[in-house]
Amino acid sequence: MAKVILDAGHGGVEPGAVHEGRQEKDDNLRLTLAVGEILENQGVEVTYTRTEDVYDTPLQKAQIANAEGGDFFVSFHRNSSPEENQYSGVETLVYDQSGNKAALAEAINAELAEVGFRDLGVNERTDLVVLKRTQMPAVLVEVGFLNTDADNQLFDTQFAAVAEAIAGGILSTLEEMGLYSPGMIGAANGAASGDGESGGNVNAAGGGSANAGSAAQRATLYRVQTGAFSNRAYAEDLLFRLQQQNYPAFLLYSDGLYKVQVGAFAQLENAIRMEAALRKAGYSTFITAE
């Protein structure tokens, strides 16, 4: 049986893009669950990184996916631009333009174009943790711009068609790989997974928790904070710089500040080692625990 990991981007204290009270994390989760239901009804096994409004770091999401294993990892997002109605369309991001992940990205974009979205293409992003650290072909779908009226109208009025389009792109790619056919509903085919690609060159350390909704049951996690800003752009600049240097950095919004943190460690000594490496690289740091 084919297996797909679905990731609803952002969540919890990290809303993602926000426009006139609309939060990206909510659109992401709604669409993720709708696509998952379609896939499950077609006999595909689906695992979610979250099914509720909770936050996990990108590295934790990659760890959840790696612990579960699967033929594809698909992360759902909405895009945003500096000005309202500045851009319109869908794009799908991949670590590189190779293998089954590129085929999946092209298939999803083609299906969404049929719904009415402008196709902005498949683009490489080597700095995104969920594309770099997942051990299966991975794509990140930006389903229109959250601050563009035309894209929101399509997303809302054609929501079922949008979900069907993304599911259709996944199913058609799995079918080309020999992992799915419409007559296989409910049956396991025992096929080998994917094309052997890792999505990047780095394996995620640790297995992570397969239960994305069990935050209260997790042990203490130690993280290394490198900055806290009231201006999101400043935080994103620091985040990008860290990710370019291959640090597992992420952005967290809490207490009115955009906080840039690195890693999520179960062992304090691992956080201490990461802090030492960051300080050696010239960053100001301190360790948080939660």
Side-chain angles (χ1 to χ4, degrees), residues 46-111:
V46 176
T47 294
Y48 303 91
T49 61
R50 71 179 177 102
T51 57
E52 300 174 347
D53 187 19
V54 297
Y55 177 76
D56 284 300
T57 70
L59 179 58
Q60 286 173 315
K61 291 183 174 189
Q63 290 174 335
I64 290 169
N66 294 339
E68 285 289 324
D71 300 298
F72 281 123
F73 176 93
V74 182
S75 187
F76 293 79
H77 288 259
R78 302 287 314 279
N79 222 328
S80 186
S81 55
E83 298 178 13
E84 293 181 18
N85 300 306
Q86 184 177 13
Y87 300 115
S88 178
V90 297
E91 67 173 333
T92 301
L93 306 178
V94 293
Y95 183 82
D96 58 47
Q97 299 267 9
S98 67
N100 291 325
K101 60 179 174 291
L104 174 61
E106 293 284 359
I108 289 174
N109 278 12
E111 292 283 350

Side-chain angles (χ1 to χ4, degrees), residues 34-273:
V35 172
E37 182 178 4
I38 295 168
L39 294 177
E40 288 172 334
N41 288 339
Q42 292 297 315
V44 175
E45 183 179 355
V46 176
T47 294
Y48 303 91
T49 61
R50 71 179 177 102
T51 57
E52 300 174 347
D53 187 19
V54 297
Y55 177 76
D56 284 300
T57 70
L59 179 58
Q60 286 173 315
K61 291 183 174 189
Q63 290 174 335
I64 290 169
N66 294 339
E68 285 289 324
D71 300 298
F72 281 123
F73 176 93
V74 182
S75 187
F76 293 79
H77 288 259
R78 302 287 314 279
N79 222 328
S80 186
S81 55
E83 298 178 13
E84 293 181 18
N85 300 306
Q86 184 177 13
Y87 300 115
S88 178
V90 297
E91 67 173 333
T92 301
L93 306 178
V94 293
Y95 183 82
D96 58 47
Q97 299 267 9
S98 67
N100 291 325
K101 60 179 174 291
L104 174 61
E106 293 284 359
I108 289 174
N109 278 12
E111 292 283 350
L112 287 171
E114 290 294 321
V115 177
F117 285 104
R118 180 185 178 192
D119 185 354
L120 298 178
V122 176
N123 298 303
E124 293 184 358
R125 284 287 299 271
T126 60
D127 59 316
L128 296 180
V129 172
V130 293
L131 301 181
K132 183 174 185 177
R133 301 265 179 151
T134 41
Q135 296 172 345
M136 69 278 294
V139 302
L140 188 153
V141 188
E142 298 274 15
V143 189
F145 285 76
L146 191 78
N147 60 346
T148 294
D149 294 338
D151 283 359
N152 284 338
Q153 183 177 17
L154 263 179
F155 188 94
D156 294 336
T157 63
Q158 302 295 321
F159 180 80
V162 171
E164 290 280 358
I166 296 173
I170 295 171
L171 291 172
S172 65
T173 309
L174 289 171
E175 187 172 3
E176 289 178 3
M177 295 165 60
L179 299 177
Y180 165 82
S181 70
M184 289 166 54
I185 296 176
N189 61 19
S193 170
D195 57 3
E197 64 190 3
S198 66
N201 299 318
V202 183
N203 290 334
S209 167
N211 186 350
S214 59
Q217 300 174 9
R218 295 192 187 101
T220 299
L221 290 177
Y222 301 95
R223 299 164 179 166
V224 185
Q225 186 161 306
T226 58
F229 306 88
S230 57
N231 187 314
R232 179 168 182 153
Y234 296 154
E236 289 180 341
D237 285 344
L238 176 57
L239 175 69
F240 181 75
R241 188 161 70 250
L242 287 162
Q243 290 179 338
Q244 284 292 94
Q245 295 175 309
N246 290 325
Y247 289 108
F250 61 94
L251 189 63
L252 174 69
Y253 183 79
S254 68
D255 304 321
L257 294 172
Y258 295 97
K259 301 176 181 179
V260 182
Q261 298 183 344
V262 178
F265 305 97
Q267 302 297 323
L268 177 58
E269 55 265 32
N270 292 334
I272 292 172
R273 281 196 288 269

